Amino acid sequence: MNIELLVQEFNLFLVENRLAKVRKPSEYYHPSSLFDCSLKIQFDKLNAPKETLETPRSIMRLDNGSYSHRRYIDYWRNLGVLYGDWLCLVCDRVSADLLCPEVCPACGNKKLIYNEVNVLDKDLLIKGKADGIIILKNKKVLWEFKTIKSTEFEKIIKNNMPKPEHIFQANIYAVILDIEHMLIWYENKDTQESKYFDIVANYELFKDALTKIKQIETALQEQTLLKRTCTNKKIPPALWCPYKNICFKQGLTFAKVLEKSIERSS
């Protein structure tokens, strides 16, 4: 029995399975990535060539975050405060805008799962999924959940504030859904300690997102590349960017990126 070969096949499966789920270029902007630099988002829109940064370890780390999210969904559901859309696993019907139903309204079965909250504004070109909505004293609260490692957890404890990109993301959801309060909840993936923040939605911050979208859309229409903000691809945040190689290429133009994108798609 070749265990080494089995492990190699396992790791290859993880990476290929993840790559198959990679989000394709879309006309919409996703709140989870709108805090990124504008050029990176423009490269996403153009389907520019990028480096694959996925590893078996990074994939399992992300999956652990998803499993933790489902665990919290069960907590909120059992507490009786989870509001939204529910999918029946028996009749396949989605029942919308319900607070913790015990059974499917259509078939009476108890096998229900909670759907993440769809967030869509076609006019603003924004589309995404929020983690959940909680009802507190008859008012909706947007719940956004993040798992982070100990070093990052210690930083938010010290700063007593969520990470700026998480506020930015949750704020977009909250404004579009017309929800005043956001509950941004962190779990330390190493110790299961938790920390939460009650943040009030900020329309001025939301306008920053709209300004960024307008800037990118204008550049795409005028077929110009936005300005690179990083100065060295060997240090963060460029170090972790899948577009760092093309971004730092000398003489790069919109036409050249478009040409490489067409080659990549063919």
Side-chain angles (χ1 to χ4, degrees):
M1 180 181 294
N2 193 331
I3 297 298
E4 185 93 15
L5 181 60
L6 176 63
V7 173
Q8 290 176 5
E9 289 182 0
F10 174 81
N11 289 335
L12 181 62
F13 163 78
L14 286 179
V15 174
E16 290 183 343
N17 188 55
R18 177 67 65 181
L19 291 177
K21 297 178 181 178
V22 170
R23 198 159 49 200
K24 304 299 181 183
S26 164
E27 63 179 307
Y28 292 105
Y29 292 81
H30 300 274
S32 59
S33 60
L34 262 173
F35 194 79
D36 293 340
C37 87
S38 297
L39 182 55
K40 179 179 181 294
I41 300 172
Q42 188 181 25
F43 282 149
D44 279 338
K45 289 286 182 181
L46 292 170
N47 195 27
K50 61 182 178 181
E51 181 184 356
T52 300
L53 302 178
E54 299 283 14
T55 65
R57 181 183 177 186
S58 69
I59 292 167
M60 287 188 279
R61 186 168 61 241
L62 288 171
D63 287 341
N64 276 334
S66 298
Y67 301 148
S68 296
H69 172 264
R70 293 173 202 165
R71 174 164 49 86
Y72 271 82
I73 287 293
D74 285 340
Y75 295 157
W76 293 126
R77 181 181 184 178
N78 292 334
L79 190 59
V81 297
L82 194 61
Y83 176 88
D85 298 348
W86 302 81
L87 171 65
C88 177
L89 297 178
V90 176
C91 70
D92 205 33
R93 172 175 172 176
V94 175
S95 299
D97 302 326
L98 295 178
L99 179 64
C100 292
E102 293 186 5
V103 299
C104 172
C107 71
N109 199 282
K110 293 184 178 181
K111 294 183 178 180
L112 298 170
I113 58 173
Y114 183 75
N115 284 346
E116 289 182 309
V117 182
N118 286 315
V119 180
L120 175 64
D121 191 309
K122 292 183 178 180
D123 294 331
L124 299 179
L125 298 178
I126 294 174
K127 183 179 183 181
K129 289 183 181 292
D131 286 331
I133 294 175
I134 293 168
I135 300 298
L136 178 63
K137 294 183 178 179
N138 296 319
K139 289 189 176 181
K140 295 178 181 178
V141 176
L142 181 88
W143 174 66
E144 195 63 21
F145 177 71
K146 305 293 180 184
T147 56
I148 53 177
K149 59 186 179 181
S150 292
T151 52
E152 295 298 314
F153 190 80
E154 290 167 4
K155 287 179 185 178
I156 66 166
I157 294 294
K158 180 180 179 181
N159 297 332
N160 197 32
M161 183 65 64
K163 298 177 76 170
E165 59 265 39
H166 297 157
I167 297 177
F168 197 80
Q169 176 187 358
N171 189 73
I172 294 171
Y173 296 145
V175 171
I176 291 178
L177 294 171
D178 194 24
I179 296 176
E180 182 180 3
H181 283 268
M182 305 175 286
L183 175 60
I184 302 180
W185 191 292
Y186 290 95
E187 182 177 272
N188 184 327
K189 64 176 69 178
D190 302 318
T191 66
Q192 279 63 62
E193 294 175 89
S194 62
K195 174 69 176 176
Y196 65 87
F197 298 93
D198 177 9
I199 306 292
V200 177
N202 183 330
Y203 191 75
E204 291 303 312
L205 185 62
F206 180 71
K207 285 165 64 176
D208 290 344
L210 300 185
T211 299
K212 178 177 277 192
I213 291 173
K214 184 177 179 181
Q215 176 192 37
I216 298 168
E217 284 293 299
T218 299
L220 290 171
Q221 291 168 10
E222 295 178 352
Q223 297 195 355
T224 58
L225 285 182
L226 293 165
K227 186 178 179 180
R228 189 184 69 228
T229 55
C230 297
T231 57
N232 189 336
K233 71 177 182 179
K234 295 183 179 180
I235 60 175
L239 179 64
W240 304 317
C241 180
Y243 296 112
K244 62 177 180 287
N245 290 329
I246 190 172
C247 189
F248 281 85
K249 196 168 185 178
Q250 291 292 329
L252 187 67
T253 63
F254 185 95
K256 289 180 180 179
V257 174
L258 199 59
E259 181 182 345
K260 289 183 177 295
S261 300
I262 294 172
E263 290 174 0
R264 184 167 178 247
S265 301
S266 60

